[in-house]
Amino acid sequence: MTDVVATTPGLYPLPDWAKGELSDLKGHQKHDLIDGDEGAAIAEAYDDVRAEFVADQREAGVDRIVEGQGRWDDMLAHPLTVHDNVETGGIVRYYDNNNFYRDPRVVGELTASGDVAEELTAAADLAGDDDALQAVLPGPYTLADLASDEHYGDAAEFLDAVGDFLADEVEAFPAHETLFLLEPSYVTNAPDDDLNELASETIDRVAGATDADVVVHTYWEAFEETAYAHLMDAGVDAVGFDFVAADREANLECINELGTADDIALGLVDGQNTLVEDPETVAERVDWVRDQIPAQEFETTYVTTNTEPFYLPVNKHQAKLSVLAEAAEIAAGDADAAETEVEA
């Protein structure tokens, strides 16, 4: 039986009340953004944001509860920008959109900070006993790609160090059901021949730091074949594919020619478009993807937004949480019906 799981890649949009309150508390300049040393008033505001994120997910009925990453002012670069041995440089465009982050300039050894573990522990305290917690981190290749190295001096040594850093961070996490490693750089700026094997090895190392199911989620573009082939050597439970913005035929070609993991994550709801999808339509897309991969039955299918949803207005994001939950429920019913029909 295929388990269909409604989830998200985290990085939620801040509620309007929080934007105003945090703007007053933090100021409006680059140096006022989160650096890991925020005071009690700011921490309390983010506690309230986190509680709202968790409540929204429980109300919508998604199957995995994420912390929401409200503090991540620098998007996926956050785990480095709050590190003691990282200085923040100029403002850099966040991929091909109108968001920006501070360039994390690594100037010393990367050692675990426990920052993300504290966030996840706080989310675990808010979730109910029956809620399944999902951790979210940038993948090692993406985090290295978003940063500047002024300490290690070699691209391979730097990527290796980022992999160790993230693995140590994961070891400090509270119990979690799933770990999503977000790797948009893996498809937008694929590793070159010198880094392909190491990129896969670092993902494997981070995945090995947890007993949870690990999903490497990609978005915006499709895989290059060589990079995908190396990724298949990593010990992960699922790879996530963007079926909204990326070239879906190219992704399907990789899957059907090179295979994929036992599970799969499908980015089927648009994380950057305010149009709210119909749950039936999303469920039909799940069936469509299954039909395009006839040689493989997946134990678990994660249904998610293709990108982080922080681009969306809060009300649209909340509506899409409900769409994901309802679509997964419909798709699970369709899968059960199909299996019953085959058995009959």
Side-chain angles (χ1 to χ4, degrees):
M1 177 183 294
T2 297
D3 190 16
V4 184
V5 172
T7 189
T8 67
L11 282 80
Y12 285 179
L14 284 175
D16 288 340
W17 67 261
K19 291 179 182 175
E21 184 173 331
L22 289 166
S23 179
D24 292 341
L25 290 169
K26 292 164 57 180
H28 305 275
Q29 304 301 317
K30 184 185 72 156
H31 58 267
D32 295 323
L33 298 178
I34 285 295
D35 61 6
D37 294 323
E38 60 268 27
I42 295 174
E44 288 174 8
Y46 280 115
D47 287 344
D48 292 340
V49 169
R50 182 180 301 113
E52 189 164 316
F53 286 164
V54 171
D56 285 345
Q57 293 169 86
R58 298 186 75 192
E59 182 175 350
V62 294
D63 299 299
R64 295 288 185 273
I65 300 292
V66 300
E67 192 270 336
Q69 291 77 45
R71 287 175 64 242
W72 292 25
D73 284 336
D74 297 285
M75 286 78 82
L76 292 179
H78 169 87
L80 287 183
T81 52
V82 297
H83 196 283
D84 288 344
N85 285 337
V86 176
E87 298 175 356
T88 51
I91 299 299
V92 183
R93 183 180 293 275
Y94 184 65
Y95 298 101
D96 187 20
N97 59 56
N98 291 326
N99 292 98
F100 297 85
Y101 68 100
R102 294 171 295 175
D103 177 25
R105 297 167 47 237
V106 178
V107 297
E109 184 179 2
L110 291 175
T111 54
S113 70
D115 182 274
V116 179
E118 289 182 10
E119 292 177 339
L120 197 60
T121 299
D125 292 341
L126 291 166
D129 292 338
D130 295 332
D131 293 321
L133 192 66
Q134 176 171 293
V136 174
L137 273 179
Y141 179 73
T142 288
L143 189 56
D145 185 50
L146 293 176
S148 297
D149 170 35
E150 298 184 7
H151 175 71
Y152 293 95
D154 176 83
E157 189 175 347
F158 182 51
L159 175 56
D160 198 47
V162 171
D164 285 341
F165 163 67
L166 290 175
D168 290 345
E169 294 283 348
V170 170
E171 288 182 354
F173 283 0
H176 51 287
E177 189 82 11
T178 315
L179 168 63
F180 254 51
L181 293 176
L182 307 185
E183 281 282 21
S185 289
Y186 220 96
V187 289
T188 61
N189 181 28
D192 59 26
D193 291 343
D194 293 336
L195 291 181
N196 254 320
E197 186 173 350
L198 180 59
S200 176
E201 289 176 0
T202 56
I203 288 173
D204 184 78
R205 198 180 314 150
V206 178
T210 177
D211 293 330
D213 292 335
V214 177
V215 181
V216 175
H217 188 55
T218 61
Y219 37 97
W220 287 316
E221 294 184 20
F223 278 99
E224 291 182 6
E225 190 170 301
T226 301
Y228 182 78
H230 280 281
L231 179 60
M232 287 300 93
D233 292 332
V236 299
D237 298 279
V239 175
F241 302 88
D242 182 347
F243 279 95
V244 175
D247 183 338
R248 64 189 64 174
E249 295 302 327
N251 273 333
L252 288 170
E253 189 172 327
C254 279
I255 296 170
N256 284 319
E257 289 192 4
L258 301 173
T260 193
D262 291 338
D263 305 331
I264 193 169
L266 306 177
L268 294 174
V269 170
D270 197 330
Q272 294 185 275
N273 190 312
T274 57
L275 178 66
V276 178
E277 294 86 346
D278 178 72
E280 292 277 1
T281 301
V282 176
E284 289 172 2
R285 292 172 182 168
V286 175
D287 291 338
W288 181 85
V289 173
R290 286 178 179 149
D291 291 343
Q292 306 310 306
I293 312 171
Q296 190 162 351
E297 291 288 335
F298 297 104
E299 296 176 7
T300 301
T301 299
Y302 297 91
V303 181
T304 181
T305 53
N306 62 329
T307 69
E308 319 102 319
F310 71 84
Y311 312 90
L312 298 170
V314 170
N315 63 334
K316 300 296 183 182
H317 162 63
Q318 291 168 331
K320 293 194 181 218
L321 287 176
S322 298
V323 168
L324 288 166
E326 189 172 348
E329 188 172 351
I330 295 169
D334 291 346
D336 289 346
E339 289 177 3
T340 301
E341 185 176 344
V342 169
E343 290 173 1

